[in-house]
Amino acid sequence: MVKIIKKEVLTPQIKLMVIDAPRVARHAKAGQFVIVRINEEGERIPLTIADFDSEKGTVSIIFQEVGKSTIQLGELNEGDHITDFVGPLGKEIEEKNFGHVVCVGGGVGIAPIYPKAKVLKKLGNRITSIIGARSSDLLFWEDRMQSVSDALYVTTDDGSYGEKGFVTSVLDRVIQKEKIDLVIAVGPLMMMKMVSLLTKKYELPTLVSLNPIMVDGTGMCGCCRVTVGKECKFTCVDGPVFDGHSVDYDELLARQRNYLEEEKRAVENWLMKKAEEGVHHAK
Amino acid sequence: MPNNRLNGRPKMPQRTVQERIRDFDEVPLGLEKWAAIEEAKRCLQCKKPSCMKGCPVEIDIPGFIGLLAQGKIDEAVMKIKEKNSLPAICGRVCPQEEQCESLCVLGKKGQPIAVGYLERFLADYEREQGIDLQKMPTQNGKKVAIIGSGPAGLTCAGDCAKMGHKVTIFEALHSAGGVLIYGIPEFRLPKAIVAQEVDYVKSLGVELELSVVVGKTLTFDDLLQDGFKAFFIGTGAGLPHFMNLPGENLNGIYSANEFLTRSNLMKAFRFPEYDTPTKVGRRVSVIGGGNVAMDSARTALRLGAEEVCLVYRRTKKEMPARIEEIERAEEEGINCIILTNPVRFVGNENKWVTGIECIQMELGEPDESGRRRPIPVPGSEFVIPADTVVVAIGQGPNPLLLETLPELKLNKRGYIEANEVTGATSIPGVYAGGDIVTGAATVISAMGAGKKAARAIDDYLKNKS
Ligand SMILES: Cc1cc2nc3c(=O)[nH]c(=O)nc-3n(C[C@H](O)[C@H](O)[C@H](O)COP(=O)(O)OP(=O)(O)OC[C@H]3O[C@@H](n4cnc5c(N)ncnc54)[C@H](O)[C@@H]3O)c2cc1C
Ligand SMILES: Cc1cc2nc3c(=O)[nH]c(=O)nc-3n(C[C@H](O)[C@H](O)[C@H](O)COP(=O)(O)OP(=O)(O)OC[C@H]3O[C@@H](n4cnc5c(N)ncnc54)[C@H](O)[C@@H]3O)c2cc1C
Ligand code: SF4
Ligand code: SF4
Ligand code: FES
């Protein structure tokens, strides 16, 4: 059982929660994640550690409401409890001075890119950040990203804020202009795939953080398996960060769609249940 | 009296196939009291009971059976619990026919005593009648950390607590029990029973900390700093093996661990009441021939599959599953395709599995394990249509914790090297047992290892101060 000590609505669909979890905070590193189970009936969902404070014993998570579990999580408030909060899981990113690092965050991927940029900045790297979203109301943490970046670019697909277009077009421009030592990209799979295709052309080392469906998060089930190079890897223990040029994105895209029907049913079923309860309360 | 005996030995009453394949309730129903007492009376009370040699935790078998024969049920239960804190579980899942029962003298000419059935009866009776056995041991304050709450960890914890130590179990998952809770299905081992056995261990003063992954959430150094003086590693063999065949990551292909975890631990069979989904198509193929394969196949059937088959590369004789379980699976209509080995998985344009391309095998010379080695018959490839595949070909050691302890000596296969008698590892004060030492084995051997380690830990702590 952990307690939500702060909740912030970043955009209508993206929420931040600060969780009181001293044990997780103590060993947390950039790149790692937690598994969250809201209640006894809940599923185990992975969420990146977006920030942490080892002294205060807190861990921040940021999530986009895409299905039953994340919508339900979003309805919890400060003071409420979450049944399970396990972590820190997965491997941390290599912490060293690479030189010039470009951090690309797409959508809710801004949350996991932030701690990476933060720690790499501390280690003396020059950080160029490119963050993007479909539209302005899905953007958040521009200020935070600014605080850990030497240069920051913002894009929206629809041009409602920042530059109109995709993060990849900005990245392409930066590549033309400057010497880059490492690219880190986190966001929707499609975005990570496009970034990797681009940087492959220039032979730029690229790391991506994968988000397959998971169950245990400790290497016990193999649900999170991905093909990297020619090898089968378990994202939860071997990753979630991998060499972007070696990932089989198409396979992973298909695997993420494994439970589409069930996910839809879960939301519908739950909304119906809530509506019924609402009627009850009204009586 | 109903005629449910075979040469004197009672037959286990069980639910009919039609009834049981529609739900996840337990299949065998347990003996009635009169039948249990009858059976107990058949025991010869041997002076040198050979049956006991087959029990890894050394239960006084004639002792408890003798008490049962006299109708002294409470005392019989206590007799078992002297050695085995999880009798309701062992009575259900021990491969009794290979252990205690295989050595019973009565088995030479006729039918051995149904030791397992009697153990199960007593444990269930105790639970249902609520016999109160607990005596809280006094604690001397030495802190023992148990990593993993499978049968090895639970047993070691229970025994250490009985010796007066202050025990904490750390478990990575959100429920205690290890394979008992995430692997073995409800219809073979009801989770309420596991929960009650865990409660019993807790009632001995053992603390249980769930959702703690040792090596990640807490390190060994953290535990040392917290004052733990001795450690038992019982983390099991939870790493699923895949076959490394083309197409293995297609949708619809599960490891047995994932398939069973979704259903058992996450209760996917009650989706959407529980949030975790699972997917079972019309035609399910399970690859393997052990208990894990049987459990997966029978689970698939209960989740609504129309046709379930097992694909096994040797013959039925070599299948490592318990005979009783193979029989039940076949009764339920599960089809064994033997002498068949997958070579690749076939999928459609959406990357969903549609079948397994297999090759026929024949048995050649015996291999290291003494079983005849299967060899492929060239040109015999064929496709088994399947929309769900469960790979149940075995598990290995999970390296997650081991990687954080480089000084811990492992064997060639990646399991912990531990002394057979004491469970001592290459690090003083650190003991290990169960599947993480032996590789995938049995519940009772894991418990035996936990028991031995508890004794050694007690000695170690006594000598230390
Ligand atoms: C290591 C890791 C870190 C992650 N970090 C974050 C994070 O910081 N913030 C965040 O909002 N999300 C993160 N995710 C994704 C998050 O786990 C999913 O969004 C969540 O499980 C969806 O659950 P749900 O019940 O709300 O939706 P569901 O009903 O399960 O799914 C709804 C939609 O989301 C897709 N989906 C389901 N599971 C995932 C998944 N694991 N990854 C991507 N899409 C998925 C489905 O295909 C579907 O389209 C992370 C995933 C991983 C593996
Ligand atoms: C499907 C299936 C059916 C089986 N059927 C039978 C049967 O009928 N009869 C029989 O005798 N045997 C059976 N077995 C085998 C038997 O279950 C195992 O041999 C036994 O459970 C091993 O016990 P264990 O305590 O060593 O490990 P496990 O039961 O594997 O427990 C290990 C525990 O440690 C936890 N853990 C792992 N790493 C960490 C960490 N770093 N920190 C904290 N916790 C951790 C795990 O989450 C797990 O809960 C079956 C196995 C399976 C998978
Ligand atoms: S614990 Fe297992 S081996 Fe021992 S007596 Fe009971 S059934 Fe037999
Ligand atoms: S060997 Fe058989 S008959 Fe003899 S004591 Fe054991 S169970 Fe009874
Ligand atoms: S989530 Fe189960 S192995 Fe990674």
Side-chain angles (χ1 to χ4, degrees), chain B residues 310-343:
Chain B
L310 284 157
V311 179
Y312 184 58
R313 62 193 179 128
R314 304 185 210 237
T315 70
K316 226 184 274 174
K317 222 173 63 206
E318 285 87 17
M319 281 191 177
R322 290 187 64 190
I323 301 155
E324 214 176 50
E325 299 306 328
I326 302 177
E327 279 169 6
R328 290 203 177 110
E330 289 197 310
E331 264 170 35
E332 291 171 7
I334 288 157
N335 181 13
C336 295
I337 305 179
I338 53 159
L339 288 170
T340 301
N341 208 24
V343 289

Side-chain angles (χ1 to χ4, degrees), chain A residues 9 18 26 40-41 71 75-76 84 92 101 109 118 139 171 178 183 185 198 210 226 249 254 267 269:
Chain A
V9 179
V18 181
R26 178 151 57 148
E40 278 311 316
E41 291 80 34
I71 299 175
E75 291 190 347
L76 297 181
D84 294 294
E92 64 267 26
V101 181
K118 182 172 160 186
L139 263 181
L171 177 61
E178 301 172 46
V183 177
L198 176 68
L210 300 182
V226 289
Y249 292 98
V267 175
N269 187 74

Side-chain angles (χ1 to χ4, degrees), chain A residues 1 14 26 39 43 46 51 60 64 66 78 80 93 118-119 123 153 191 199 206 221 224 233 243 258 265 268 275 278:
Chain A
M1 241 356 169
I14 300 181
R26 178 151 57 148
N39 56 22
E43 61 182 333
D51 205 358
S60 303
Q64 182 167 14
V66 291
E78 286 170 13
D80 288 345
I93 55 157
K118 182 172 160 186
V119 66
L123 290 166
Y153 300 87
M191 179 211 105
T199 57
T206 301
C221 76
C224 63
K233 298 277 185 192
D243 165 27
N258 204 324
R265 236 180 93 205
E268 281 163 9

Side-chain angles (χ1 to χ4, degrees), chain A residues 23 27 37 41-44 68 84 87-88 90 218-221 223 225 227 237 251 254-255 258-259 262, chain B residues 174 209 211-212 216-217 222 238-240 248-249 251 253-255 257-258 262 271 275-276 279 352 398:
Chain A
R23 278 180 176 174
H27 293 299
R37 196 176 66 124
E41 291 80 34
E43 61 182 333
R44 298 170 63 99
K68 176 180 180 218
D84 294 294
T218 65
M220 183 269 276
C221 76
C223 173
R225 63 196 194 275
T227 304
V237 284
E251 176 187 278
R255 286 184 69 78
N258 204 324
Y259 295 103
E262 288 77 10
Chain B
H174 59 257
E209 292 215 31
S211 293
V212 175
K216 292 278 180 192
T217 314
D222 293 336
L239 181 80
E248 202 162 16
N249 290 357
N251 276 345
I253 305 182
Y254 291 93
S255 76
N257 274 4
E258 181 186 352
R262 282 183 179 272
F271 177 87
D275 289 344
T276 307
K279 256 203 150 85
W352 273 88
N398 189 328

